[in-house]
Amino acid sequence: MALLGDQYASSDEEAPELDKAGTTTATRVVAAPDVSLDVWSHFIRVFNSYTNSMQDPMRLQLMLAKPTDTALTYNVPYADLARPAQGPSNPYKTTNGNVLKRKNALTGDAQEASISDATFTAQHRTFQSLGYTKDPSVNGAHVGDLAKAQAFGGKDIIQMRPSKEESAAFRRKRQKKGDASIVDGDGAYKGPWARYQDEDLVYEDDPGFGEEELASDEEYIEEAIVPARSTAVTKLASDYQDDLTNTETTEFHGTAQYDYQGRTYMHVPQDLDIDLRNEPGTQKNYIPKKLIHTWKSHTKAINALRFFPNSGHLLLSASADTKVKLWDVYHNRELLRTYSGHTKSVTDATFSPTGTHFLTGSYDRFLKLWDTETGTCTSRFQTPSKAIPHVIRFHPSTDTHAFLVGTSDKKIVQFDTRSGEMTQEYDHHLQAVNTITFCDDNRRFITTSDDKSLRAWDYDIPVPIKYIAEPYMYSLVRAAPHPNGKSVAFQSGDNQIVVYASTDRFRQNRKKSFRGHNNAGYAIDVGISPDGQFVVSGDSGGYVCFWDWKTCKMWHKIKADEGPVVRVAWHPQESSKLVTAGLEGVIKYWD
């Protein structure tokens, strides 16, 4: 019990100790001990024998709790609870009782002075103009620049105002404003430019007040005045920064632009072991296992990877470095062409159904249609609200010439590539649109948004036919349609891939859920093999994960990168070839 101290002794130990003589030792009790000299006192005081001049620092530290604390951090002994308050006296405590004085400011009680608004405004203007003002606490005193206050006699800005007679005499010295109908000569209109008689300003362009007066036989010749432009200056002419949104360039990097028959890289190669003209999905797919090639040219993260439609002999990549590049998948596997024209990060890119053109969207709020073969920009588009395009999709039909754009202002906008005009607007989402997926023989499409909802639309009808928003749903950031046309896989923000039917009901298939990867915080691509057997997705830990479509079990996992793998795309013709990309700008080809 010695460790507990004398304040916490048990009831059995509260009996008075007996000395050897059998008498009790008297304990001296100090009802109001003085404040310790080494802690509180700043003055020399005379202490009696009962003064507690030494205190335990640890104990003192426990006693000094924060004013905002609502609970004690240790058990306070009763002796400390009954001890009087220590330290300096509270200046805001009344003499009778412990009631604090009323405070209307953090530092005490501030009393409002009886001064009118006009007087305060006059003194404030005096201090701003002359540098001094009256001291409200001392009668007749000034604060600020006392030298100026003595020079002006302590007058404020109102007292220094000239009288009416002085003002009238001052106005009489000014020239007449003249007649507005007379342009030149005697009585010409001067208006606010009329000068005063005693004005000492000299204007060099005035022949009577120049440095050299004209001789009697000289005639004043007015210099030629450049006529003002009749047309208003355009916005581009007055812009501080060069507008590069309408400047598109392209550069060919390949070894030869034409082959021995005069064909460009648009020609589907026929000298391969595989026929690239077959229908995608005719071959059985397998899981890739090794890295066979790496493309390096981008300097920032890859935002989109697209194979050439059907054949897949070309690969299109869009990056945050504002560049779009075209790569050769076969033969030399070289960089073929670079498309430059955006001033900010490219958000998405997509081929037309025939592959002759492709669309790009960027954070510079422009959509641009490019010729795949020549590299020229054929059209530019912009939404009416000039929103940022997040996702772009061509209508899969080759005779519609239309495409859809999901933007940051909650809208899906439909354009016609021939006229360049907006033909339809779908406005029902509550936040930015993430995905657009065509289904049901391209008669309908499904959209998802950051508002954690899924909406289905009939093409060209701006009213949703299905709306799904459950409390447990997360944002669906990427989508991939199944080759059978009956389902769509969505990358959900809660580290899983969910499947919805793309038929009339658009219900979620709760039996199909692909888990085991991490995608939270990233918009990671999801893909399905051309034969519909495997589901592939990137991972925030640098993996590429594969699942079986029927059993929903993870089939394989590849360590593809040190950082997150955000882009994956399955080759439409090859049995086991896949491209991946991450935030470093490196594209990897797997087999």
Side-chain angles (χ1 to χ4, degrees):
M1 297 303 294
L3 295 176
L4 296 177
D6 54 349
Q7 291 86 352
Y8 298 96
S10 63
S11 59
D12 297 338
E13 298 176 357
E14 290 179 0
E17 295 184 358
L18 297 177
D19 55 4
K20 295 180 180 180
T23 61
T24 60
T25 58
T27 303
R28 190 181 302 275
V29 179
V30 181
D34 292 334
V35 180
S36 176
L37 178 64
D38 58 340
V39 177
W40 298 110
S41 179
H42 297 282
F43 304 97
I44 301 175
R45 292 183 292 184
V46 180
F47 290 83
N48 55 18
S49 58
Y50 306 123
T51 301
N52 181 16
S53 61
M54 297 298 294
Q55 295 187 10
D56 187 5
M58 297 299 296
R59 183 178 176 185
L60 183 63
Q61 184 178 3
L62 291 174
M63 292 176 59
L64 298 176
K66 296 180 180 179
T68 58
D69 290 346
T70 57
L72 294 174
T73 58
Y74 80 112
N75 293 328
V76 184
Y78 181 78
D80 292 342
L81 291 175
R83 182 176 297 170
Q86 298 177 345
S89 61
N90 191 343
Y92 301 109
K93 184 175 291 186
T94 58
T95 56
N96 50 354
N98 294 329
V99 182
L100 295 178
K101 294 180 182 178
R102 184 180 299 275
K103 294 193 298 183
N104 58 3
L106 185 63
T107 57
D109 182 68
Q111 298 181 358
E112 184 177 359
S114 57
I115 180 173
S116 64
D117 293 340
T119 304
F120 179 81
T121 303
Q123 295 299 323
H124 184 248
R125 292 178 56 191
T126 304
F127 185 80
Q128 285 184 324
S129 303
L130 305 178
Y132 69 89
T133 186
K134 290 183 179 180
D135 189 354
S137 60
V138 181
N139 190 14
H142 295 83
V143 293
D145 194 346
L146 301 180
K148 283 190 176 181
Q150 186 177 4
F152 292 107
K155 295 182 180 180
D156 58 20
I157 203 73
I158 302 299
Q159 296 171 346
M160 296 179 64
R161 184 177 297 174
S163 61
K164 293 183 179 180
E165 293 77 11
E166 294 176 348
S167 299
F170 185 71
R171 285 195 297 268
R172 282 195 294 269
K173 295 181 180 180
R174 191 173 186 180
Q175 297 177 354
K176 301 298 182 181
K177 291 184 178 181
D179 188 1
S181 61
I182 303 175
V183 179
D184 196 6
D186 296 336
Y189 180 72
K190 296 182 177 61
W193 299 277
R195 294 183 298 155
Y196 294 88
Q197 294 180 4
D198 298 336
E199 189 175 12
D200 55 355
L201 297 177
V202 177
Y203 298 92
E204 295 182 357
D205 56 351
D206 195 334
F209 292 90
E211 295 180 355
E212 297 181 358
E213 296 184 357
L214 296 175
S216 59
D217 57 346
E218 291 181 347
E219 182 180 1
Y220 175 73
I221 302 176
E222 190 175 33
E223 295 182 1
I225 301 176
V226 180
R229 295 179 57 176
S230 58
T231 59
V233 180
T234 61
K235 181 180 179 181
L236 295 178
S238 60
D239 198 359
Y240 288 102
Q241 188 178 6
D242 294 337
D243 189 6
L244 302 177
T245 54
N246 296 333
T247 304
E248 294 86 11
T249 59
T250 182
E251 182 180 359
F252 181 75
H253 304 279
T255 55
Q257 194 167 1
Y258 302 96
D259 60 3
Y260 69 100
Q261 291 185 349
R263 299 172 300 189
T264 63
Y265 51 74
M266 297 293 292
H267 174 71
V268 179
Q270 307 293 326
D271 55 344
L272 304 173
D273 297 336
I274 183 174
D275 188 4
L276 299 180
R277 294 173 295 179
N278 291 334
E279 188 69 22
T282 55
Q283 290 192 2
K284 181 178 176 59
N285 291 116
Y286 300 93
I287 299 296
K289 296 181 179 180
K290 63 179 180 179
L291 179 66
I292 59 175
H293 191 71
T294 301
W295 288 292
K296 294 182 180 180
S297 182
H298 288 293
T299 58
K300 293 185 179 180
I302 306 295
N303 292 332
L305 285 176
R306 300 286 183 265
F307 277 106
F308 195 84
N310 298 325
S311 64
H313 69 287
L314 299 175
L315 176 66
L316 188 71
S317 64
S319 172
D321 59 3
T322 71
K323 300 291 190 296
V324 180
K325 297 180 183 293
L326 190 68
W327 311 85
D328 186 11
V329 179
Y330 297 98
H331 300 120
N332 296 329
R333 290 175 180 164
E334 59 184 352
L335 174 62
L336 295 176
R337 188 177 289 276
T338 299
Y339 307 85
S340 303
H342 288 290
T343 58
K344 294 184 180 180
S345 172
V346 183
T347 56
D348 196 12
T350 182
F351 274 111
S352 64
T354 58
T356 56
H357 294 80
F358 67 88
L359 266 168
T360 59
S362 170
Y363 278 99
D364 60 8
R365 305 172 191 272
F366 274 91
L367 296 143
K368 297 191 177 184
L369 182 65
W370 304 80
D371 189 291
T372 310
E373 184 175 5
T374 62
T376 58
C377 179
T378 58
S379 299
R380 304 179 190 90
F381 306 91
Q382 218 175 7
T383 61
S385 59
K386 295 183 179 180
I388 300 173
H390 282 185
V391 56
I392 313 169
R393 290 294 180 269
F394 265 103
H395 192 281
S397 178
T398 57
D399 55 353
T400 55
H401 304 281
F403 66 91
L404 300 177
V405 183
T407 62
S408 60
D409 64 345
K410 309 170 290 185
K411 298 178 182 179
I412 300 104
V413 185
Q414 180 178 324
F415 286 94
D416 192 304
T417 57
R418 294 167 296 183
S419 63
E421 301 293 332
M422 184 186 72
T423 58
Q424 191 59 267
E425 185 179 74
Y426 309 85
D427 185 10
H428 277 77
H429 279 290
L430 303 179
Q431 291 189 27
V433 181
N434 292 331
T435 66
I436 300 174
T437 309
F438 282 92
C439 60
D440 197 8
D441 295 332
N442 306 325
R443 294 177 299 178
R444 296 171 177 171
F445 63 93
I446 304 173
T447 61
T448 61
S449 168
D450 282 341
D451 59 6
K452 303 178 183 179
S453 69
L454 181 147
R455 286 174 168 84
W457 315 73
D458 277 325
Y459 179 72
D460 216 5
I461 299 177
V463 179
I465 60 175
K466 187 70 174 181
Y467 167 68
I468 301 174
E470 301 294 342
Y472 55 82
M473 286 180 60
Y474 283 74
S475 297
L476 306 177
V477 294
R478 289 291 184 268
H482 195 273
N484 61 14
K486 298 180 180 179
S487 303
V488 180
F490 292 96
Q491 186 81 263
S492 180
D494 56 345
N495 296 331
Q496 67 169 332
I497 298 173
V498 296
V499 178
Y500 283 83
S502 58
T503 53
D504 293 335
R505 295 183 178 270
F506 298 99
R507 288 184 177 179
Q508 180 182 359
N509 189 347
R510 300 186 181 275
K511 295 182 180 179
K512 288 191 179 298
S513 176
F514 305 94
R515 302 172 181 267
H517 66 303
N518 294 320
N519 62 3
Y522 297 92
I524 295 179
D525 278 350
V526 58
I528 301 178
S529 60
D531 64 349
Q533 184 181 358
F534 298 106
V535 178
V536 61
S537 171
D539 182 84
S540 61
Y543 292 93
V544 180
C545 304
F546 299 88
W547 294 269
D548 185 87
W549 173 260
K550 292 183 178 180
T551 63
C552 298
K553 293 182 179 180
M554 183 175 289
W555 192 279
H556 192 56
K557 182 184 283 189
I558 300 175
K559 182 65 175 178
D561 207 335
E562 296 298 329
V565 177
V566 294
R567 301 290 166 257
V568 293
W570 209 295
H571 196 283
Q573 293 290 344
E574 296 284 350
S575 59
S576 60
K577 286 190 171 57
L578 182 84
V579 289
T580 63
L583 303 180
E584 292 81 9
V586 179
I587 305 172
K588 297 183 179 180
Y589 195 31
W590 302 82
D591 189 6

